[in-house]
Amino acid sequence: MEVIFGILLGLAVPVLLIGGIIYLIMRLRSSNPIRVSYRAVLRTYFYVVILVSIGLAGGGISTLFKVGFAEMFGPEFSYGSIYEEHRWEQENAYQRQLDARTPDYPKSAADFEPRTLEEEIEFTQKSTIINGVTITLIGVLLLIVHIFGRRRVETVEEKSDAHRRLYLVIGLVIFAIVTVVTLATGLPEALRYAILEVNPGEESPGGALSVAIVALPIWLYYLVVTLKTIRNN
């Protein structure tokens, strides 16, 4: 979930700025005067929150896919970072035991016992499920409310105007980049995981693949709707 939401936020700001500049230039070159209406601002608000809501819901669903991959192919398929962190904690625990021999070393630090690898995996999976379900519900709720609000505000003519087309193109670009990046990251990792003899945690394609699986149909939806909208004008 963190991957897709971070990418969406990182891409949405520059894409929206570029789209706004292009729209402003087009209006300046036209004969119509530029007027900022509350209706246009409200539509922009709905479009932006819809994109963010899709990112939230998609990120939540992708975390659940990540858990599913871990159940099907093993925890290391999705939680490679846990293995690295566990090895680091073991090294630190060993170093603390060595430092505990010094008289001034605090006893509480020496007695610290990190979780076992199995406990870390179980804790992470449960946390991932809780986060995934919660974020998905929040994203879906926001999406439903704002889609309903947008439909109440938009007229029939506005469903294919420049404002609407700009929103579709921005969504298309964002989810196209998310899909391509995660596929390009996840597929090679999955092939290395399946073909090569790797140590647990060295290859962990579950996170990237789960995002790609969710982002791909969203990308295709925006592509189909954008082409249909442009073809009808």
Side-chain angles (χ1 to χ4, degrees):
M1 189 275 292
E2 294 82 3
V3 175
I4 189 171
F5 191 55
I7 293 176
L8 280 173
L9 288 180
L11 292 174
V13 174
V15 170
L16 286 172
L17 287 176
I18 294 172
I21 293 172
I22 294 173
Y23 180 75
L24 181 61
I25 293 174
M26 292 174 60
R27 292 299 302 271
L28 287 173
R29 295 181 62 182
S30 66
S31 58
N32 298 325
I34 299 177
R35 296 177 180 175
V36 179
S37 66
Y38 290 111
R39 185 185 188 85
V41 172
L42 185 59
R43 290 181 65 200
T44 302
Y45 160 77
F46 281 129
Y47 286 138
V48 172
V49 178
I50 285 173
L51 284 175
V52 174
S53 300
I54 293 173
L56 282 174
I61 294 172
S62 70
T63 59
L64 299 179
F65 272 108
K66 187 176 179 179
V67 176
F69 281 139
E71 292 295 328
M72 289 188 293
F73 304 114
E76 65 274 9
F77 190 86
S78 296
Y79 302 111
S81 60
I82 295 179
Y83 291 84
E84 297 294 333
E85 293 172 0
H86 182 69
R87 283 191 285 267
W88 179 77
E89 287 178 354
Q90 284 183 320
E91 293 175 359
N92 279 353
Y94 176 72
Q95 186 62 44
R96 282 193 295 269
Q97 294 297 328
L98 294 179
D99 294 340
R101 299 175 183 177
T102 61
D104 296 333
Y105 193 78
K107 296 286 186 179
S108 58
D111 296 336
F112 173 75
E113 290 293 336
R115 293 190 182 98
T116 65
L117 180 59
E118 291 75 15
E119 290 173 342
E120 285 284 357
I121 292 173
E122 182 180 3
F123 176 80
T124 303
Q125 284 183 324
K126 291 180 179 179
S127 299
T128 302
I129 292 173
I130 293 173
N131 293 340
V133 172
T134 304
I135 297 300
T136 300
L137 291 177
I138 294 173
V140 170
L141 179 60
L142 288 174
L143 184 61
I144 293 173
V145 170
H146 285 82
I147 287 179
F148 178 76
R150 188 206 68 193
R151 289 181 177 178
R152 292 292 300 270
V153 170
E154 278 187 341
T155 62
V156 177
E157 293 77 13
E158 288 174 338
K159 292 182 178 179
S160 58
D161 65 358
H163 205 150
R164 167 78 170 176
R165 293 197 298 270
L166 180 61
Y167 153 73
L168 291 175
V169 171
I170 290 174
L172 176 64
V173 171
I174 290 174
F175 288 103
I177 294 175
V178 171
T179 304
V180 171
V181 169
T182 51
L183 281 176
T185 303
L187 286 179
E189 286 188 0
L191 290 175
R192 291 194 296 267
Y193 179 89
I195 297 174
L196 302 178
E197 294 183 1
V198 296
N199 295 322
E202 287 183 342
E203 299 293 342
S204 183
L209 288 180
S210 63
V211 174
I213 289 175
V214 176
L216 179 59
I218 301 175
W219 172 30
L220 295 177
Y221 166 79
Y222 273 96
L223 179 60
V224 171
V225 175
T226 302
L227 293 176
K228 183 179 178 181
T229 302
I230 295 175
R231 191 181 299 117
N232 293 335
N233 287 274

